[in-house]
């Protein structure tokens, strides 16, 4: 579910299985994210947040995505752009 590598010259762990991702995401106090940097993504990026701010934003996003009508709304908003892009090809 994960492997060790080097990204941009720094030792890194890449997580890819759902169970390991869930463990890492629910254990944010045990893991320190060092890349990508805040300078690259901005101070309000979900990826760069830690601690209580991360937990609050994550809960907000999960609740929005898990809502019964969220997929229908998202597809309705994204579909016109996808269709236009495909037609332009």
């Amino acid at each position: 579910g994960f492997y060790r590598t080097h990204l941009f010259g720094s030792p890194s762990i890449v997580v890819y299985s759902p169970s390991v991702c869930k463990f890492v995401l629910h254990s944010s106090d045990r893991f320190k994210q060092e890349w990508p940097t805040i300078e690259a993504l901005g101070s309000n990026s979900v990826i760069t947040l830690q601690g209580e701010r991360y937990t609050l934003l994550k809960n907000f996003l999960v609740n929005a995505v898990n809502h019964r009508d969220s997929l229908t709304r998202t597809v309705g908003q994204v579909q016109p752009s996808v269709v236009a892009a495909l037609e332009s090809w």
Side-chain angles (χ1 to χ4, degrees), residues 9-23:
S10 298
S12 302
I13 297 173
V14 176
V15 177
Y16 59 88
S17 80
S19 60
V20 178
C21 287
K22 184 175 182 177
F23 174 75

Side-chain angles (χ1 to χ4, degrees), residues 36-55:
T37 64
I38 291 174
E39 292 82 15
L41 298 174
S43 61
N44 291 321
S45 171
V46 176
I47 293 174
T48 61
L49 294 177
Q50 294 181 356
E52 186 177 337
R53 288 185 68 201
Y54 167 77
T55 303

Side-chain angles (χ1 to χ4, degrees), residues 54-87:
Y54 167 77
T55 303
L56 289 172
L57 188 55
K58 180 192 75 161
N59 289 338
F60 173 78
L61 292 171
V62 167
N63 290 334
V65 171
N66 284 338
H67 190 271
R68 177 178 33 213
D69 299 327
S70 64
L71 182 59
T72 303
R73 282 185 285 127
T74 303
V75 169
Q77 292 172 349
V78 173
Q79 185 176 7
S81 299
V82 172
V83 169
L86 292 172
E87 288 174 346

